[in-house]
Amino acid sequence: MSLLVKICGLKTPETVAAALEAGADMVGFVFFPRSPRNVSLTEAALLAEPVRGRAGIVALTVDATDDDLAAIVDVLRPDLLQLHGAETPKRAAAVRARFGVPVMKAVRIAEAADLAPVAAFAPHVDRFLFDAKPPPALAGALPGGNGLAFDWRLVRDLDPGRPYMLSGGLDPANVARAIAVTRTPAVDVSSGVESAPGVKDPDRIRAFLREARAGAAGAAGEAAA
């Protein structure tokens, strides 16, 4: 199976280079001040220079205003806008129409009922990202990048009507198993390749790419057997 791998929340030239050299298909930049992975537009534009033409550039936003999105689109010129907040299907459709950039909507999951909004979003987005929903005890947690996983079996046989990425708690040690369970076409990682919140580890980035590719190859072999 052909697997897409996204490394999200990059902040330094060294980690961008590690992601590209290891074969990442997408790299993500976070525009959310509360996140330890937050970058300024100027920083992101500089980091994205070596990425353009080699991997997809993803801008992660959380309930961003039209003015914020306009600045991101103008300065960064992303290939994908990731909506990681409480955006509605109507808002996703408006963003997609106004800015002419493909949209990926994050859906946070803890139980099967959390997949209910997928049908409403599907006509208005180009891709989904299935992330873990923080438990009530972590009500103040960030929208993503919390290092939490959900029950991957919930999306194993799901056809959301759009391509999707699996996220939430993935790391080099479990990504191959996650791929085997879900047969996901794409994976996304952030905190799972960090040595501290917001601090990406080039060695862990390389390990994640290596294990993800091996997991995809193993899943493809099983499917063909």
Side-chain angles (χ1 to χ4, degrees):
M1 62 189 295
S2 178
L3 182 80
L4 290 178
V5 181
K6 172 174 169 273
I7 309 295
C8 196
L10 295 171
K11 295 177 62 176
T12 68
E14 293 77 17
T15 53
V16 168
L20 292 174
E21 290 162 7
D25 301 288
M26 298 179 180
V27 299
F29 301 107
V30 174
F31 300 97
F32 184 54
R34 282 177 48 204
S35 171
R37 302 160 192 97
N38 183 61
V39 290
S40 70
L41 264 177
T42 300
E43 291 169 330
L46 290 172
L47 292 169
E49 285 183 4
V51 178
R52 204 170 306 279
R54 297 178 64 187
I57 298 168
V58 183
L60 186 157
T61 65
V62 180
D63 301 314
T65 66
D66 280 355
D67 287 346
D68 289 337
L69 290 171
I72 290 169
V73 170
D74 181 57
V75 174
L76 183 62
R77 294 182 291 129
D79 299 297
L80 190 65
L81 288 171
Q82 179 174 333
L83 307 183
H84 215 103
E87 300 90 357
T88 63
K90 182 178 179 180
R91 176 58 177 160
V95 168
R96 194 184 189 204
R98 173 166 181 172
F99 297 104
V101 178
V103 166
M104 175 165 68
K105 180 67 182 87
V107 177
R108 293 187 286 276
I109 301 169
E111 57 186 4
D114 294 320
L115 290 165
V118 167
F121 275 106
H124 308 298
V125 302
D126 300 275
R127 184 181 289 275
F128 286 105
L129 182 143
F130 296 133
D131 199 0
K133 183 179 184 179
L138 293 178
L142 296 171
N146 293 298
L148 302 173
F150 64 94
D151 184 349
W152 300 320
R153 295 171 297 178
L154 292 172
V155 299
R156 180 166 51 195
D157 299 314
L158 181 68
D159 180 4
R162 290 289 184 270
Y164 76 89
M165 307 193 90
L166 184 69
S167 188
L170 298 181
D171 59 34
N174 68 13
V175 65
R177 181 162 53 89
I179 292 167
V181 169
T182 62
R183 297 293 197 270
T184 179
V187 292
D188 169 84
V189 67
S190 187
S191 61
V193 291
E194 292 179 346
S195 57
V199 181
K200 293 290 185 292
D201 182 331
D203 287 337
R204 287 183 66 81
I205 290 173
R206 286 186 281 265
F208 186 86
L209 266 294
R210 183 174 63 250
E211 294 301 321
R213 299 296 183 205
E222 290 178 8

